[in-house]
């Protein structure tokens, strides 16, 4: 198993399938984009499948989430998902996407065995979407979400990041939109992971503020049925609303102001084959080169174990010595 020196066990693997993206969300990437990883540096579909197999069959990984960059830009995605859902023991398999292309791919992904999707949606206003993501693609995202629901990739989870003066007036409208459609909305505090280093504490909309903004329109109560466990989202029941016969909920992920590092069960594999034991790690372990130099499954598993063993206690954003990682979120895999 993947154990660190603080007794945490990593069972949730996040795999970035590409660092490329067709949006430019301003909390993530500059409008001009980034220098993408050269293709030969990226893991092939077979290499991704091999490392995921080692994680699941030898290291105790029980959940695999594909992300990026935009994972739907990866041509082989349905095949990668099918290879993952064919593993024994079968892991839970999910996808985090901006939703563009999901209208076409939701069916094939469901057929490949995908269990769930998280779609990122920060605004319901076309002009704000264009301002925030630098592309006019709101309609594609909404169609993608509907297609995911129709394909049974449920509950469709929605991730929203609020930015001061841009979309922070949309907290309640986003919740209303999701409640009406049976989507499960979670707000994520903005983290210092953008390539252009534009994050400031003052501009971050905190979990407390998010709850205040929602409280203006909805009555929220801590969700008694939810066990937060290792889940980063604190869950709140929304009075007067139901989803699937039980109180509807909304999640708030206070990564910065309410960190959950002590219960973290995640480990990450980047699109170029590096193991990262934390979003905010400053070092990585290169499985790609070891694999290409002929390492056996057992040797790769041992390198992976060593990488997780060195995980720090927490992200340290509040520490004066905090350093933003060299790679932005889009290259790490969010
Ligand atoms: N492109 C896909 C998407 O947008 O869902 C997957 C990758 S994206 C990096 C994964 C998630 O990270 C998205 O929900 C996005 O909103 C979130 N994200 C990106 N940059 C962030 C930041 N600086 N702080 C908090 N969340 C961020
Ligand atoms: Fe692309 Fe996702 Fe980053 Fe937005 S958050 S720019 S969709 S990788």
């Amino acid at each position: 198993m993947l154990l660190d020196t603080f007794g945490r066990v990593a069972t949730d693997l996040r795999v970035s399938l590409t660092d490329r993206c067709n949006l430019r969300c301003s909390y993530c990437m500059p409008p001009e984009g980034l220098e993408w990883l050269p293709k030969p540096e990226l893991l092939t579909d077979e290499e991704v499948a091999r490392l995921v197999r080692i994680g699941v069959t030898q290291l105790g990984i029980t959940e695999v989430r594909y992300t990026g960059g935009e994972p739907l830009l990866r041509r082989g995605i349905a095949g990668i998902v099918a290879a993952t859902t064919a593993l024994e023991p079968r892991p839970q398999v999910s996808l985090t996407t901006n939703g563009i292309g999901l209208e076409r791919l939701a069916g094939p992904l469901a057929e490949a065995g995908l269990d769930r999707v998280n779609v990122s949606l920060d605004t319901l206003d076309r002009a704000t979407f264009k301002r925030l993501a630098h592309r006019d693609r709101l309609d594609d995202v909404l169609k993608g979400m509907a297609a995911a629901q129709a394909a049974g990739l449920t509950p469709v989870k929605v991730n929203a990041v609020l930015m001061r003066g841009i979309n922070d007036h949309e907290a309640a409208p986003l919740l209303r939109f999701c409640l009406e459609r049976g989507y499960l909305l979670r707000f994520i505090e903005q983290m210092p992971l953008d390539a252009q280093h534009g994050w400031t504490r003052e501009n971050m909309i905190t979990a407390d503020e998010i709850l205040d903004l929602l409280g203006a329109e909805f009555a929220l109560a801590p969700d008694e049925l939810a066990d937060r466990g290792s889940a980063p989202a604190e869950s709140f029941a929304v009075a007067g609303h139901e989803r699937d016969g039980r109180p509807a909920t909304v999640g708030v992920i206070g990564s910065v102001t309410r960190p959950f590092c002590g219960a973290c069960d995640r480990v990450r594999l980047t699109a170029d084959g590096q193991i990262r034991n934390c979003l905010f790690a400053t070092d990585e372990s290169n499985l790609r080169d070891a694999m290409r130099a002929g390492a056996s499954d057992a040797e790769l598993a041992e390198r992976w174990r060593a990488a997780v063993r060195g995980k720090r206690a927490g992200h340290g954003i509040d520490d004066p010595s905090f350093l933003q990682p060299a790679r932005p979120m889009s290259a790490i895999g969010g």
Side-chain angles (χ1 to χ4, degrees):
M1 79 186 172
L2 293 167
L3 180 68
D4 69 31
T5 54
F6 300 94
R8 294 169 297 191
V9 179
T11 53
D12 179 346
L13 172 62
R14 317 231 140 190
V15 183
S16 172
L17 291 179
T18 175
D19 58 330
R20 290 172 187 257
C21 193
N22 39 16
L23 293 183
R24 300 285 183 268
C25 307
S26 46
Y27 48 73
C28 182
M29 271 193 210
E32 66 277 13
L34 296 165
E35 201 168 308
W36 311 124
L37 290 165
K39 184 131 195 263
E41 291 190 13
L42 297 181
L43 297 181
T44 63
D45 292 0
E46 292 71 28
E47 287 172 332
V48 171
R50 178 175 175 201
L51 292 178
V52 171
R53 174 177 56 72
I54 292 171
V56 170
T57 61
Q58 299 192 22
L59 297 170
I61 294 295
T62 56
E63 282 190 63
V64 180
R65 171 172 298 276
Y66 290 109
T67 178
E70 178 42 50
L72 296 186
L73 293 178
R74 177 96 183 208
R75 231 177 266 152
I77 182 146
I80 292 173
V81 167
T84 312
T85 57
L87 291 171
E88 286 286 337
R90 185 200 189 286
Q92 284 289 304
V93 186
S94 56
L95 176 77
T96 300
T97 170
N98 63 28
I100 298 172
L102 197 54
E103 188 181 16
R104 181 173 57 83
L105 284 167
L109 286 169
E111 262 166 51
L114 187 72
D115 294 302
R116 271 184 314 281
V117 287
N118 284 48
V119 183
S120 303
L121 176 72
D122 304 319
T123 175
L124 297 165
D125 178 73
R126 189 170 161 192
T128 307
F129 189 98
K130 212 170 148 192
R131 176 171 174 214
L132 204 157
H134 296 96
R135 300 283 187 277
D136 189 7
R137 307 296 297 270
L138 176 61
D139 274 357
D140 298 300
V141 177
L142 300 179
K143 284 182 197 155
M145 294 164 77
Q149 192 169 47
L153 299 171
T154 53
V156 172
K157 292 190 183 174
V158 176
N159 294 352
V161 176
L162 296 179
M163 300 181 78
R164 201 173 296 289
I166 298 178
N167 63 338
D168 51 338
H169 58 290
E170 289 197 69
L174 279 165
L175 180 53
R176 212 179 309 130
F177 173 87
C178 289
L179 290 170
E180 282 165 6
R181 288 160 183 78
Y183 303 154
L184 173 49
L185 176 64
R186 293 121 38 92
F187 291 95
I188 310 176
E189 276 180 351
Q190 189 186 349
M191 295 178 277
L193 283 170
D194 57 312
Q196 57 279 42
H197 292 233
W199 181 89
T200 62
R201 189 170 287 273
E202 305 73 64
N203 272 338
M204 173 183 61
I205 307 284
T206 63
D208 286 347
E209 283 180 85
I210 294 166
L211 290 171
D212 283 348
L213 289 166
L214 295 175
E217 184 171 331
F218 297 97
L220 303 181
D223 180 6
E224 303 294 342
L225 299 175
D227 165 19
R228 190 175 180 193
S230 62
E234 283 179 70
S235 183
F236 298 86
V238 188
H241 294 269
E242 284 201 348
R243 185 178 41 241
D244 299 332
R246 53 156 292 185
T249 55
V250 59
V252 178
I253 305 180
S255 320
V256 180
T257 64
R258 303 178 179 192
F260 41 90
C261 304
C264 177
D265 61 358
R266 296 178 175 183
V267 59
R268 294 181 147 80
L269 174 65
T270 64
D272 56 350
Q274 314 293 310
I275 291 291
R276 294 180 66 92
N277 57 27
C278 174
L279 258 182
F280 294 92
T282 46
D283 52 8
E284 304 181 333
S285 177
N286 190 337
L287 292 194
R288 180 199 61 203
D289 288 355
M291 177 163 54
R292 290 183 183 172
S296 66
D297 285 2
E299 284 162 347
L300 292 170
E302 189 41 46
R303 272 179 180 255
W304 195 333
R305 276 190 209 98
V308 171
R309 224 173 283 134
K311 181 162 165 160
R312 287 180 304 173
H315 57 46
I317 295 174
D318 284 326
D319 196 298
S321 64
F322 174 74
L323 278 182
Q324 185 171 333
R327 290 208 208 217
M329 182 77 134
S330 55
I332 296 170

